[in-house]
Amino acid sequence: MGGAPEGIDASGRLLDLDAHAILDAIPGVVVVIAADGEVIWVNESMAELTGYSSADLVGTNMVDHLDLEWNPRTLESISYALDTPGMRLPTMLRFFTKHGEPIVMEATANNQIDDPQICGLVAHLRPSDERHLLDGILESFASGDELATTISRLHDVARAETLQAESAVFLLFPGAEGRSVLASSAEVEALSSLAGASAPWLAAAASGLPVVHADLSDLEPAVQAAASACGFSACWSYPICRTGTGDVDAVLVMWRQVEGLPEPTAAMLVERLAKLCALVLERVEHSRELQRAADHDALTGLANRTRFFSAVDDHIARGRDPLGVIYLDLDGFKAINDHWGHAHGDSVLATVADRLRASVRPEDTVARLGGDEFAVACPGAGPDELIRLADRLLAVVRAPITVDGEVLRVGVSIGLASCEAGSRPGDVLVAAADAALLEAKATAKGTWQLSSTVT
């Protein structure tokens, strides 16, 4: 009782341990490189990581196993380490395995070439794919890549050594490039369509907390069967919360082939991925808001002048269908502004905008060009269709508008113009509609006039 364990003396020092056995047990590769770059010794971890045995590598040049183009400073880093005694800062290398597969490694070198017992550069290599892949998410984020591109980098991290999972990001806000699920594979995307209201990712979204299924027994039978058929045995769902709030914008789901709860390192990595994803989604939302502000009218939410002319030009450039333009100017609006003030005037403009938007076809672009002028780009519309739309717009704009209990009325005069596919430049078509509008206001306000110059 009370004696020291075998191999350790009373003071706790190790006795008679095999140095080579310790080196072979080190997590990561230890390699000794001569001054000319020749490999003179490696530990057993090299075989496990790369497939190369000691006999395969000893006598070869270390540079021959590296991808020098992946990191253009690889050769410079190795030369510096070989020329400079002592410990060097870590560098990133890409090493080719025996089967030709690339592995990103972090290399820390200690130059002991002058030590007669070592006579070489001692380098410790450890896999760094996940760090490299995480950097890829940040690089994609900084480059402003499309959301799907950046999330694909996240999927790469999920597949790597720590998580070994297929993944999906379930988006809870609309309009994310037309997709609600960004999955690492078609199979994972299909799983989302099978789940009902009890789906774990929906539970995570509702609670704002991770929902972890160490096995699939609690999932809906259809989801359980489909997930098992894909080889999955566990499902982890982590909410992606907007920075500084508890609002959940999305859920990150990990489908794993191995049963079990997240180990501490795995949990930390998933949480980090969720935070990175939150930043990515916030950037996308911010970019969308900036874009909307750039091409929409702030008061009415309609397209602005720039967006309207872009829609006209884009349609004409495609040159497939006719294009019609409706140009509108309110009658009696200045009197409302003068008598009731600009707040009432703004309410009238917003109401008119809503009525125009609700009265046109889904494919039409309604814009506020400025002041009380509006326009509509109508793809595929010839003169007859434009006239039907104009009659409808005359009626809806004339209807009474109530603002703060006051019943207000405005009229509208309309100019119409249309052209066959690609037959006129966009500015010519719009100018013709504007001229028709002026003619309508000059002859009888509250009517429409069809241009005869470009139809």
Side-chain angles (χ1 to χ4, degrees), residues 39 52 56-57 60-67 94-96:
V39 177
Y52 282 117
D56 292 328
L57 288 182
T60 67
N61 195 294
M62 187 66 177
V63 173
D64 293 339
H65 304 286
L66 301 176
D67 183 352
R94 190 154 84 162
F95 188 96
F96 289 111

Side-chain angles (χ1 to χ4, degrees), residues 341-402:
H342 289 284
H344 278 60
D346 287 348
S347 294
V348 169
L349 291 174
T351 300
V352 169
D354 290 340
R355 291 177 179 180
L356 295 178
R357 188 188 293 111
S359 300
V360 300
R361 306 168 308 166
E363 64 269 28
D364 296 338
T365 299
V366 186
R368 181 188 177 205
L369 303 184
D372 60 350
E373 289 187 348
F374 299 84
V376 187
C378 307
D384 292 342
E385 181 66 20
L386 285 182
I387 291 170
R388 282 192 291 271
L389 285 170
D391 286 336
R392 188 186 311 159
L393 297 180
L394 286 173
V396 298
V397 173
R398 288 170 181 160
I401 299 173
T402 302

Side-chain angles (χ1 to χ4, degrees), residues 64-86:
D64 293 339
H65 304 286
L66 301 176
D67 183 352
L68 300 181
E69 294 183 358
W70 180 79
N71 179 0
R73 293 188 174 271
T74 296
L75 198 57
E76 180 183 344
S77 298
I78 294 174
S79 298
Y80 179 71
L82 288 169
D83 292 340
T84 310

Side-chain angles (χ1 to χ4, degrees), residues 14 17 39 58-59 87 89 96 136 151-152 168 201 249 261 286 290 328 336 392 406 446 448 453:
L14 298 174
L17 294 183
V39 177
V58 171
M87 190 77 72
L89 293 174
F96 289 111
I151 297 301
S152 70
W201 42 92
D249 286 334
L261 299 172
H286 182 60
L290 288 177
L328 307 94
I336 291 176
R392 188 186 311 159
E406 301 292 338
W448 56 259
T453 60

Side-chain angles (χ1 to χ4, degrees), residues 235-308:
C235 180
W236 307 343
S237 300
Y238 280 70
I240 298 171
C241 299
R242 186 164 302 199
T243 305
T245 75
D247 297 336
V248 179
D249 286 334
V251 179
L252 175 59
V253 180
M254 297 286 160
W255 291 96
R256 305 191 75 228
Q257 294 185 345
V258 180
E259 289 187 357
L261 299 172
E263 297 176 353
T265 301
M268 180 177 65
L269 181 56
V270 179
E271 290 166 0
R272 184 178 181 187
L273 290 177
K275 290 178 181 178
L276 285 174
C277 197
L279 292 175
V280 172
L281 295 179
E282 287 170 23
R283 184 209 70 196
V284 170
E285 187 65 20
H286 182 60
S287 297
R288 185 179 292 117
E289 290 172 357
L290 288 177
Q291 182 60 47
R292 180 169 181 81
D295 57 22
H296 283 74
D297 175 57
L299 174 64
T300 63
L302 298 179
N304 61 16
R305 176 181 291 271
T306 300
R307 180 71 189 91
F308 172 74

